[in-house]
Amino acid sequence: MRKLFFILFMVVILLFSSCRAVPHSYGEITAGDTWSSLFDAYWKKMNTNYIFWDVYDSEYGSWDGIYDYFMPRFEGLGKIGENEEEALRLFFDASKELDDGHYALTVFAKDGFLYMSSATYKVMKDLGYSDDEIFRYSIYDTTLDYRKFEECDFNAENIKNTFSAFGIELPEDAAVPLTTVSGRGPFAAFTYFRTYDPETMKGMTTGYGITDDGILYLGFSGFDFYSYFETRNEFTEDVTSFLSGLSKAIDDNPEGIIIDMRGNGGGYIVDLDILLPDFLEKGVAAEFAISRRKLGDNRLDYGPWLPLCVYSNERSSFDKSIPIAVLTNKGSVSAAEMTTFFFKALHDEYGYDVTVVGGTTLGGHGSLVSNENELNGGSFNLSSHMVSSYTPSTEIRYIDGISREGNGIEPDVSVPFDYDEYINRKNDIRFNMALKIIREKL
């Protein structure tokens, strides 16, 4: 009987194995000294590393169609260093339709370089820019008028400018210690700080405030809290004090809560485990998304979907009847969209009162942890960094299983962005709508 079972077991294994495609075997992928060899290497690395082939849609039919169309054109450009702008345009055209909201491609040439991203391409196309204009922007041609792009919510609506509308002005290139002020905008009290690294010229701006009628506001520019615990520095104490004060403000059962994800470019997904347990009841594991990665080099060689959860902790005691509004815009991406998924799931699956307000998010839901040997995908560099491709190694979807990659999360209440009102008149229409929605429920 055991022998029969073993034989049947081996037959099943062989049948299952025969249903799988034979993996591609490119060996070591390297680029030579011609544009065609560089494109060939780029195409092969994308073939094995890109995660979103299941939602890829191209006017050329497929990624194979991209190769068939563009390779003869690259072959006509000769060696690297010749016909540079033509080569950069071909890379632009071959990559512009990738759905990955994180995707960015850098190609260096002797007399310039191309830096293009799926995010910029999609936003500019929606604003009516032509491919020629977007390409000129991607090679840093400053002779054209890009004011419409610069004044859309993707660029202009962010935490720094929101704080400015509240009457809190922050410097562009300096840190601000943890500070509490009163009587700014609609807030009885507002606590904020800004980190800044002069070497990278990057930092995190974050703050929370309580309105006169007890509504809590929380906004921050990115998910970088974990980094200040991973490597302690001069900002760690302020970050710790800020998070402690925020937790207390949530525990005090405010009348309502506004979570501002506008202009939030993401960061450490582990920050969700730092920030979000305060919004759960004790003993809850809130599933808000599913994720998968590739198990091999074939385009569709995916592993199983696995749940993503936020777990309550010993302090979790949230009252889910408290109304919550989540503010989003086209600049909300990555961990900001994971946070939006989380609050949507609290509404859809756990009975919370949540409303997403503002604009549609960008649509970049993958995880950017990259280790080709373990994850079979993600970012890569070619030919001494001549080509650099920035792309996730993990695909993430909302719990309904629908891909919103490249399309974004639509708000429950859509509020158009008005640059003049927001920047010049300091009138934050989307924030005011969130306030109105919550106040109507009190």
Side-chain angles (χ1 to χ4, degrees), residues 242-256:
F242 177 87
L243 291 174
S244 176
L246 175 62
S247 289
K248 184 179 185 305
I250 296 171
D251 290 344
D252 286 343
N253 290 324
E255 295 296 319

Side-chain angles (χ1 to χ4, degrees), residues 214-234:
I215 297 172
L216 173 64
Y217 166 89
L218 167 64
F220 48 100
S221 60
F223 288 80
D224 296 318
F225 294 100
Y226 174 74
S227 66
Y228 299 106
F229 299 112
E230 182 184 35
T231 305
R232 298 184 65 85
N233 56 33
E234 68 269 29

Side-chain angles (χ1 to χ4, degrees), residues 125-145:
K125 286 295 283 187
D126 287 344
L127 291 170
Y129 288 94
S130 68
D131 280 6
D132 287 342
E133 290 171 319
I134 302 171
F135 172 68
R136 301 309 307 177
Y137 180 86
S138 300
I139 59 171
Y140 291 79
D141 182 344
T142 59
T143 62
L144 300 179
D145 182 5

Side-chain angles (χ1 to χ4, degrees), residues 195-215:
T195 65
Y196 185 74
D197 182 347
E199 292 187 5
T200 62
M201 295 186 291
K202 294 180 180 180
M204 179 177 68
T205 301
T206 185
Y208 69 88
I210 304 289
T211 65
D212 292 327
D213 53 351
I215 297 172

Side-chain angles (χ1 to χ4, degrees), residues 15 19 42 55 57 74 133 148 165 186 231 256 317 330 342 395:
L15 286 173
C19 293
Y42 167 68
V55 294
D57 184 26
F74 274 105
E133 290 171 319
K148 185 165 53 173
T231 305
S317 60
K330 192 60 77 173
F342 171 80
E395 181 179 7

Side-chain angles (χ1 to χ4, degrees), residues 51 292-294 367-370 375 377-378 391-395:
I51 191 74
R292 68 178 179 182
R293 63 180 180 86
K294 291 178 71 179
S367 169
L368 287 158
V369 176
S370 291
L375 299 175
T391 187
S393 56
T394 305
E395 181 179 7

Side-chain angles (χ1 to χ4, degrees), residues 91-378:
F91 273 107
F92 172 90
D93 287 334
S95 307
K96 66 186 181 184
E97 295 175 310
L98 294 168
D99 296 284
D100 174 7
H102 284 98
Y103 185 77
L105 172 67
T106 306
V107 183
F108 290 96
K110 185 170 61 176
D111 296 322
F113 66 95
L114 167 77
Y115 177 81
M116 65 163 296
S117 71
S118 293
T120 296
Y121 181 79
K122 290 178 183 296
V123 171
M124 295 185 78
K125 286 295 283 187
D126 287 344
L127 291 170
Y129 288 94
S130 68
D131 280 6
D132 287 342
E133 290 171 319
I134 302 171
F135 172 68
R136 301 309 307 177
Y137 180 86
S138 300
I139 59 171
Y140 291 79
D141 182 344
T142 59
T143 62
L144 300 179
D145 182 5
Y146 296 108
R147 190 181 318 154
K148 185 165 53 173
F149 176 57
E150 292 164 356
E151 295 182 355
C152 75
D153 66 346
F154 177 71
N155 286 310
E157 191 181 29
N158 53 52
I159 291 300
K160 182 179 181 298
N161 288 335
T162 294
F163 285 10
S164 177
F166 294 156
I168 299 169
E169 300 294 342
L170 297 172
E172 290 282 355
D173 55 357
V176 176
L178 189 65
T179 304
T180 299
V181 295
S182 58
R184 302 294 176 93
F187 300 105
F190 197 92
T191 300
Y192 63 95
F193 72 94
R194 171 175 166 76
T195 65
Y196 185 74
D197 182 347
E199 292 187 5
T200 62
M201 295 186 291
K202 294 180 180 180
M204 179 177 68
T205 301
T206 185
Y208 69 88
I210 304 289
T211 65
D212 292 327
D213 53 351
I215 297 172
L216 173 64
Y217 166 89
L218 167 64
F220 48 100
S221 60
F223 288 80
D224 296 318
F225 294 100
Y226 174 74
S227 66
Y228 299 106
F229 299 112
E230 182 184 35
T231 305
R232 298 184 65 85
N233 56 33
E234 68 269 29
F235 302 116
T236 301
E237 184 176 344
D238 278 352
V239 171
T240 303
S241 298
F242 177 87
L243 291 174
S244 176
L246 175 62
S247 289
K248 184 179 185 305
I250 296 171
D251 290 344
D252 286 343
N253 290 324
E255 295 296 319
I257 300 176
I258 297 173
I259 311 292
D260 196 346
M261 293 287 99
R262 293 176 296 172
N264 187 310
Y268 291 92
I269 196 169
V270 72
D271 274 9
L272 273 61
D273 292 322
I274 296 174
L275 294 165
L276 300 184
D278 283 338
F279 295 95
L280 295 177
E281 298 174 302
K282 189 178 294 294
V284 173
E287 181 180 344
F288 65 93
I290 54 176
S291 70
R292 68 178 179 182
R293 63 180 180 86
K294 291 178 71 179
L295 296 181
D297 286 343
N298 291 304
R299 286 180 212 154
L300 303 180
D301 208 358
Y302 295 116
W305 288 106
L306 300 174
L308 292 178
C309 300
V310 172
Y311 297 88
S312 62
N313 56 34
E314 67 278 359
R315 294 184 55 262
S316 299
S317 60
F318 191 79
D319 178 358
K320 66 182 181 181
S321 68
I322 296 173
I324 299 172
V326 181
L327 282 165
T328 58
N329 70 357
K330 192 60 77 173
S332 307
V333 64
S334 196
E337 292 177 294
M338 297 303 100
T339 301
T340 307
F341 279 165
F342 171 80
F343 283 104
K344 278 178 61 66
L346 292 185
H347 174 273
D348 295 346
E349 302 293 329
Y350 300 92
Y352 281 59
D353 184 354
V354 175
T355 307
V356 180
V357 182
T360 301
T361 65
L362 181 63
H365 308 143
S367 169
L368 287 158
V369 176
S370 291
N371 184 321
E372 287 190 71
N373 293 329
E374 294 182 5
L375 299 175
N376 297 294

